[in-house]
């Protein structure tokens, strides 16, 4: 009985000590880049009043997005699943999975292709009011 009482007392002390220590804020850099994923440098943000847009995009399994371009820097974070991005002019590819971030291309035609699991993304765009987030690139 003494041992049980000692364990309970020890657990109470540990719990009290844990409760007294506040949780610490943690910060982790997920992406810091001066270039898009294909190595092309970003040259500037669009001129004008800045407007940030954040989209949650769900792409079903076995989907090929249309070829498109972006007129502004943006980055996509993969919440779940995975996606392969492909550059139209040379076929260069980059595969990203859950927890990874991709610095997107500006002005270069590309598309995303999902596999078996599809993908759920959060995409951050740095544009200006009225600027389209993407433009069709044709075939």
């Amino acid at each position: 009985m003494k041992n049980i009482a000692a364990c309970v007392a020890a657990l109470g002390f540990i719990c009290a000590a844990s409760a007294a220590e506040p949780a610490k804020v943690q910060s982790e850099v997920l992406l810091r880049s001066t270039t898009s994923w294909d190595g092309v440098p970003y040259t500037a943000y669009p001129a004008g009043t800045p407007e940030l847009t954040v989209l949650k995009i769900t792409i079903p399994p076995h989907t090929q997005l249309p070829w498109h371009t972006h007129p502004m820097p943006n980055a996509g974070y993969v919440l779940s699943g995975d996606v392969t991005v492909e550059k139209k002019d040379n076929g260069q590819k980059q595969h990203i999975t859950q927890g990874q971030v991709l610095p997107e291309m500006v002005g270069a035609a590309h598309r995303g292709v999902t596999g078996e699991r599809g993908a759920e993304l959060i995409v951050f765009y740095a544009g200006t009011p009225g600027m389209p987030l993407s433009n069709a690139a044709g075939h």
Side-chain angles (χ1 to χ4, degrees):
M1 214 43 170
K2 244 180 171 178
N3 287 341
I4 292 174
C7 286
V8 169
L11 285 174
F13 175 76
I14 291 169
C15 290
S18 295
E21 294 178 26
K24 294 182 181 179
V25 174
Q26 296 182 26
S27 176
E28 176 184 356
V29 175
L30 298 177
L31 173 70
R32 180 174 286 141
S33 183
T34 58
T35 67
S36 58
W37 65 267
D38 64 339
V40 174
Y42 292 127
T43 57
Y45 287 107
T49 302
E51 179 180 70
L52 300 178
T53 304
V54 180
L55 299 182
K56 181 177 180 183
I57 301 171
T58 302
I59 309 169
H62 307 290
T63 298
Q64 284 188 356
L65 296 177
W67 294 106
H68 62 279
T69 63
H70 299 288
M72 83 283 282
N74 67 93
Y77 176 83
V78 182
L79 284 174
S80 64
D82 60 288
V83 63
T84 299
V85 289
E86 178 182 9
K87 192 172 178 180
K88 186 176 185 180
D89 69 359
N90 65 7
Q92 184 179 357
K93 295 179 182 180
Q94 176 80 33
H95 184 77
I96 55 172
T97 61
Q98 182 175 341
Q100 293 184 312
V101 183
L102 181 82
E104 276 273 31
M105 302 174 163
V106 175
H110 63 284
R111 68 178 174 187
V113 179
T114 58
E116 208 50 50
R117 298 184 301 159
E120 190 171 53
L121 311 169
I122 299 290
V123 183
F124 304 83
Y125 299 88
T128 59
M131 177 179 272
L133 302 178
S134 65
N135 297 301
H139 297 90

